[in-house]
């Protein structure tokens, strides 16, 4: 561990704020965040490109509210249905009871009418009432007694009729409005049904929120754990993160994700071991081949053999380095350095033609050897696939390497560097795609983040004015165990 010289000063807080990249240094701020962070628009963001109508944005809702709305809707449907059934059944029952009471009154009035002299209708009964409903009139013609409920078009309580034929051929009838007490009972019943229905809806909604909230929390825990696995923390188990005593479909999903993670880890580890074993076995014969090439007589064929042997040796060393980085066994040897001064000195030794600009220097605690390896690979990639001038900018803890070539291929911007893939024909044809892969792996060991983006240019034929690789060094150094704090990027 290096020590800071007593005469050196750390940048003040006001100067430290300059570590944030400005919006007008490397392109628009939105492009800086979207492409350097390696993130894509969320599924519900649909940009307007001017070539067609604006697409509708799909709504995003949680499982909790979907379940709550579903339970509330089902509860409301059941409550309304039951309320209608109960209301109709109660009304029919009360009307039937009123018709029976009306018939008993009429029969009593009939006995009194037939036994009295002179015969006079009593208790509100009438003989041959002209307002007798047609339905009862038809029954009277058939010499049958009956009751009838007559509704009014203007509303209000219905009339309950009762009629009975007399031996003389006349019709004795009685009708009274439906009892006010019965109407009051119906109103109270309707009020109780409405209150009960509303209570069922709100209770169902609350129950749905509770049930959906539990499921939603378990799903969110599973999503967070799966995200940590996707970031490379393969020791995380989604099932443990979900927890809980009762098993449901969330646990099945967690078990499936864990099984998939284990299978992928085994396959990746097997491929890494095979690659490392092959590279290790090739190391000795390649070294012997390179030594034998040195013994050949001078000449053009000898130069070609030496050149190819050296290229093969470089490839084997790169493959071994990638295997070591994939195994996550590498640890940084930290020293405190002035980043701007270090970058300027190393870049000039690697390629004097590169333009170095230190906007703001900053002290960092990092591994100089690995940082130099990252810079060397980025500069080699820019010199091989880009076009001059190549520019290196240091701004606080951020280092940018830019060329003015055709830019990075879309596959690299979306998926990141991949070994033995050099991209499109514009940036292909040379190398094996290991340079940027090693740079990303070494940056990971440093606890840093290496991102890639292209610079938009209207003057360029393909709309790309060069490629930019950005190295974000962390605010804190990695620990001795190789773990790193979360790197918070500007924005």
């Amino acid at each position: 561990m290096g020590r800071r010289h007593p005469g050196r000063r750390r940048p003040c807080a006001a100067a430290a704020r300059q570590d944030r990249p400005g919006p007008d240094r490397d392109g628009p701020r939105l492009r800086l965040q979207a492409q350097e962070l390696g993130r894509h628009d969320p599924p519900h963001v649909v940009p307007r490109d001017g070539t067609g109508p604006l697409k509708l944005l799909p709504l995003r809702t949680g499982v909790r509210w979907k379940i709550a709305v579903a339970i509330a809707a089902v509860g409301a449907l059941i409550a309304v249905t039951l309320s209608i059934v109960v209301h109709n059944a109660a009304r029919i029952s009360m009307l039937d009871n009123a018709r029976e009471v009306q018939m008993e009154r009429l029969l009593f009035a009939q006995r009194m009418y037939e036994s009295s002299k002179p015969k006079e209708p009593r208790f509100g009964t009438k003989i041959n009432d002209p307002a007798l409903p047609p339905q009862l009139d038809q029954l009277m013609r058939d010499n049958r007694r009956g009751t009838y409920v007559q509704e009014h078009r203007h509303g209000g309580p219905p009339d309950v009729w009762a009629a009975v034929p007399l031996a003389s051929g006349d019709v004795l009838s009685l009708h009274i409005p439906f009892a006010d007490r019965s109407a009051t009972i119906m109103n109270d019943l309707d009020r109780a049904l409405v209150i009960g229905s509303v209570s069922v809806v709100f209770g169902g909604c609350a129950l749905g929120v509770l049930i959906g909230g539990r499921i939603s929390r378990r799903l969110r825990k599973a999503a967070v754990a799966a995200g940590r696995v996707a970031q490379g923390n393969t020791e995380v188990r989604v099932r443990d993160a979900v927890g809980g005593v009762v098993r449901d479909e969330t646990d099945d999903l967690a078990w499936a994700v864990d099984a998939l993670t284990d299978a992928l880890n085994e396959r990746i580890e097997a491929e890494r071991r095979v690659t490392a074993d092959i590279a290790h076995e090739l190391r000795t014969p390649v070294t012997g081949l390179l030594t034998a090439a040195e013994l050949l007589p001078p000449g053009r064929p000898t130069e070609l053999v030496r050149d190819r042997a050296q290229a093969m040796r470089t490839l084997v060393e790169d493959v071994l380095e990638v295997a070591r980085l994939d195994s996550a066994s590498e640890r940084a040897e930290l020293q405190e350095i002035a980043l701007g001064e270090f970058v300027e000195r190393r870049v000039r030794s690697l390629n004097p033609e590169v333009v170095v600009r230190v906007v703001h220097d900053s002290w960092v605690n990092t591994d100089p050897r690995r940082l130099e390896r990252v810079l060397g690979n980025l500069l080699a990639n820019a010199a091989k696939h880009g076009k001059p001038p190549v520019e290196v900018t240091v701004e606080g803890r951020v280092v940018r390497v830019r060329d003015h070539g055709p830019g990075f291929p879309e596959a690299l911007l979306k998926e990141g560097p991949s070994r033995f893939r050099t991209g499109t024909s514009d940036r292909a044809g040379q190398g094996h795609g290991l340079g940027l892969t090693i740079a990303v792996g070494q940056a990971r060991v440093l606890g840093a983040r290496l991102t890639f983006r292209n610079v938009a240019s209207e003057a360029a034929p393909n709309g790309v004015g060069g490629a930019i690789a950005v190295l974000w060094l962390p605010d804190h150094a990695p620990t001795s165990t190789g773990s790193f704090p979360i790197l918070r990027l500007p924005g």
Side-chain angles (χ1 to χ4, degrees), residues 14 16 57 172 215 283 310 392:
L57 304 181
L172 182 65
I215 298 176
R283 196 174 190 179
Q310 182 62 41
V392 177

Side-chain angles (χ1 to χ4, degrees), residues 1 29 39-41 99 136 146 181 187 212 273 281 305 307 339-340 373 434 470 491:
M1 298 289 291
R29 179 68 169 177
R39 297 175 180 171
H40 304 284
D41 289 340
R99 293 166 70 172
L136 285 180
R181 181 174 177 273
N187 292 333
R273 286 198 302 267
E281 293 298 326
V305 171
D307 180 68
L339 184 60
R373 177 66 164 159
L434 297 178
V470 185

Side-chain angles (χ1 to χ4, degrees), residues 1 330-335 364-367 370 442-448 473-485:
M1 298 289 291
E330 296 289 291
R331 295 292 180 267
E333 298 178 1
L334 303 179
Q335 296 182 19
V364 295
N365 204 15
T366 187
D367 189 331
R370 299 184 186 276
Q442 294 290 3
R444 189 182 304 112
V445 175
L446 296 176
L473 291 174
D475 294 335
H476 303 280
T479 63
S480 58
T481 60
S483 60
F484 314 106

Side-chain angles (χ1 to χ4, degrees), residues 197-220:
S197 300
V198 174
S199 302
V200 167
V201 171
F202 280 99
C205 186
L207 180 62
V209 170
L210 293 176
I211 297 176
R214 180 178 179 276
I215 298 176
S216 179
R217 284 192 298 271
R218 290 169 63 84
L219 290 175
R220 290 183 184 277

Side-chain angles (χ1 to χ4, degrees), residues 26 34 57 137 148 151 161 170 188 338 390 416 422 490:
D26 292 313
L57 304 181
D137 185 57
Y148 180 75
E151 302 284 352
W161 284 80
D170 296 328
D188 294 341
V390 178
T422 57

